[in-house]
Amino acid sequence: MEVVMIIVIGCLFAGATYLMLSKSLLRIIIGTGLLSHGAHLLLLTMGGLKKGAPPLLDVQAEHYVDPVPQALILTAIVISFGVTAFLLVLAYRSYQEIGTDNIEQMRGKEDHD
């Protein structure tokens, strides 16, 4: 199962890198979302995909699941949601002001002569 997760994580990182190198601001935002999803899956995979009981005091089981990777992923999901919401609002405002989402046109034209 870990091999499948590694392949999925690699595909997410590759797709995120491709989208983040684009000139469209919306594609860059989608790329950061894909990158964060890949990081979440990476944390989950590195924590170990184990089956077991939840770590509760009244449950007697042979194997327990470590809750720390799940807590880290939950925190990372909340943070990435906030960052994505901020980037979407920033992109919307810049589109209202400038009228385009192309990074090259937002940068403007500079004469280097």
Side-chain angles (χ1 to χ4, degrees), residues 6-60:
I6 290 169
I7 292 171
V8 169
I9 291 167
C11 290
L12 283 174
F13 281 161
T17 304
Y18 174 76
L19 287 174
M20 289 175 65
L21 292 175
S22 175
K23 292 182 181 180
S24 173
L25 192 58
L26 188 59
R27 287 185 181 184
I28 293 172
I29 295 171
I30 293 171
T32 57
L34 279 179
L35 188 67
S36 67
H37 288 311
H40 300 156
L41 285 177
L42 182 65
L43 283 173
L44 182 67
T45 305
M46 295 306 292
L49 301 174
K50 301 174 186 173
K51 293 183 180 178
L56 299 175
L57 294 177
D58 60 349
V59 177
Q60 298 297 326

Side-chain angles (χ1 to χ4, degrees), residues 102-110:
N102 191 345
I103 298 295
E104 294 294 325
Q105 293 176 356
M106 284 182 184
R107 188 174 296 158
K109 296 185 179 187
E110 298 177 5

